Amino acid sequence: VVSRTEALTLLVALRGMIPGSRSKYYTKEVENRLREILNKDPDTFTMDDIRELEDIAEIMEKEYTVSGRKELLDYAAKLRIGALVFKIVFVEPKMRKLEEWPLSP
């Protein structure tokens, strides 16, 4: 189980480690969008934000295969873990309140 405090610590760490863009796929626009999402109030995260974080991780992995920038591969792994944690801690509790959520009683 991951606590809210641990999730917030991970968010702050990810904000501080964002790799610089200077590549074919991981562009300045992608970097800026990553910063924008990670700088949001985590209580406002949506499934779209989570999917976008996962997409950015995929872009970083693709860039690694072309450029060999290992820092992108390392960050992408951390970003995927972060996306999962943020989904569990910040998004799923809101979704559970919806009648459509499959885990609702």
Side-chain angles (χ1 to χ4, degrees):
V1 177
V2 177
S3 72
R4 178 178 172 80
T5 301
E6 291 166 327
L8 291 170
T9 301
L10 176 58
L11 179 61
V12 170
L14 284 170
R15 285 177 187 157
M17 293 187 247
I18 296 174
S21 59
R22 54 181 157 90
S23 311
K24 180 177 180 179
Y25 301 107
Y26 180 57
T27 63
K28 190 64 176 171
E29 291 79 19
V30 174
E31 178 187 347
N32 288 341
R33 183 61 185 142
L34 175 60
R35 289 182 188 285
E36 188 177 307
I37 295 169
L38 294 180
N39 284 322
K40 286 179 68 170
D41 175 351
D43 290 320
T44 66
F45 282 165
T46 65
M47 279 307 297
D48 288 337
D49 294 325
I50 301 304
R51 284 187 207 102
E52 203 165 349
L53 291 175
E54 292 167 345
D55 291 345
I56 292 170
E58 190 172 317
I59 288 168
M60 290 177 166
E61 290 162 353
K62 185 176 182 178
E63 183 64 45
Y64 164 75
T65 64
V66 173
S67 68
R69 289 183 59 195
K70 189 174 178 327
E71 75 274 13
L72 291 178
L73 186 63
D74 293 343
Y75 188 86
K78 293 174 179 92
L79 187 58
R80 285 189 184 279
I81 292 168
L84 178 61
V85 168
F86 304 151
K87 177 181 172 185
I88 292 167
V89 174
F90 300 114
V91 178
E92 285 187 1
K94 292 184 284 193
M95 294 176 70
R96 282 192 195 107
K97 293 178 183 177
L98 301 175
E99 290 181 8
E100 298 86 27
W101 181 251
L103 300 179
S104 293

